[in-house]
Amino acid sequence: MENVIVVDAEYVDRIAFNLIVNFERMLERRVPEADIALWLECLALDGGLGDGNAEIQVVIIHEKGSKRLTNFCPGHYEEELNGKAFKGRQGEFSITTVQTEDMASKEKLLTETIQLAGQHTKLNTLMVVAPEAILGNAKRMLLQTANPACRATLFTLQPMIATSLRQESLGYSLMAALGISGKEIDERLKKEK
């Protein structure tokens, strides 16, 4: 396990929904569900992985009773994502979906997953997609990975203050996966002037 992406499913699904609603109004067109493979590739690129043959483990953590990412395609946790893999520009992405149980909150499950990943001495990149409230407890663990050369990146919509961790905007990778380009936005803004 050299490269790991940990995702809070409900958080990223909510962000995708908000982007879809807002950009449909702005662009005056239907915005399709996000292509999950394209999103993961863009996320990995933003997290520091270039083209290659890396192995990337994706862990999607979702609430108990939740069946799918409603704004992603494919999105059904058990039928379409769990145990599946695909070859992308950076290498092979292997997806595991994990649901919270009555004994553990999502925050605890995310924190423990980050801690487990960080204990591997061969870990090169660790990318985490979760809201700032959940990342609060995980920040210390991200700084204490077993491999001091590990590149840990937090993906949020708003930058976090008072952290020395590497941060990237979640919006860019989601916009690419939703088929929204900067050029299209620029053209739309020019028409409005």
Side-chain angles (χ1 to χ4, degrees):
M1 179 166 48
E2 295 181 358
N3 307 288
V4 178
I5 299 173
V6 180
V7 178
D8 178 328
E10 282 74 23
Y11 172 70
V12 76
D13 209 26
R14 185 173 57 252
I15 299 300
F17 173 77
N18 290 337
L19 288 173
I20 288 169
V21 169
N22 289 318
F23 279 105
E24 281 184 347
R25 279 189 224 138
M26 178 187 185
L27 300 173
E28 296 179 341
R29 70 167 175 87
R30 184 182 172 283
V31 174
E33 294 172 336
D35 178 326
I36 197 159
L38 178 58
W39 175 63
L40 290 170
E41 283 186 77
C42 292
L43 197 73
L45 186 63
D46 289 346
L49 285 178
D51 291 355
N53 292 314
E55 292 183 11
I56 303 110
Q57 178 64 53
V58 180
V59 181
I60 300 173
I61 299 173
H62 63 92
E63 294 289 348
K64 184 177 181 178
S66 177
K67 302 291 182 205
R68 66 169 317 209
L69 289 161
T70 57
N71 298 290
F72 286 81
C73 185
H76 194 280
Y77 298 124
E78 289 304 314
E79 294 173 15
E80 299 173 327
L81 297 174
N82 192 43
K84 303 294 191 278
F86 69 93
K87 183 78 169 156
R89 293 185 336 215
Q90 294 90 355
E92 183 170 284
F93 291 76
S94 301
I95 302 172
T96 302
T97 62
V98 180
Q99 78 172 1
T100 60
E101 294 295 333
D102 296 332
M103 302 287 283
S105 68
K106 185 188 290 181
E107 180 176 356
K108 183 174 181 171
L109 195 52
L110 280 161
T111 304
E112 288 176 357
T113 303
I114 292 165
Q115 185 176 24
L116 269 170
Q119 290 173 353
H120 288 276
T121 55
K122 293 184 179 181
L123 185 67
N124 291 330
T125 57
L126 177 59
M127 296 159 268
V128 180
V129 178
E132 184 177 346
I134 288 179
L135 288 174
N137 291 336
K139 286 191 282 188
R140 180 178 36 78
M141 282 177 268
L142 285 167
L143 288 168
Q144 299 172 345
T145 59
N147 178 358
C150 174
R151 181 183 182 122
T153 306
L154 306 177
F155 289 88
T156 60
L157 213 47
Q158 297 294 325
M160 293 173 63
I161 54 173
T163 182
S164 59
L165 289 168
R166 188 171 183 278
Q167 298 178 57
E168 289 291 336
S169 173
L170 179 59
Y172 298 125
S173 58
L174 279 173
M175 285 172 58
L178 291 165
I180 302 166
S181 70
K183 182 179 178 182
E184 183 180 19
I185 294 169
D186 288 343
E187 288 173 1
R188 182 68 190 157
L189 292 173
K190 284 177 186 174
K191 284 182 183 178
E192 291 179 0
K193 287 184 179 182

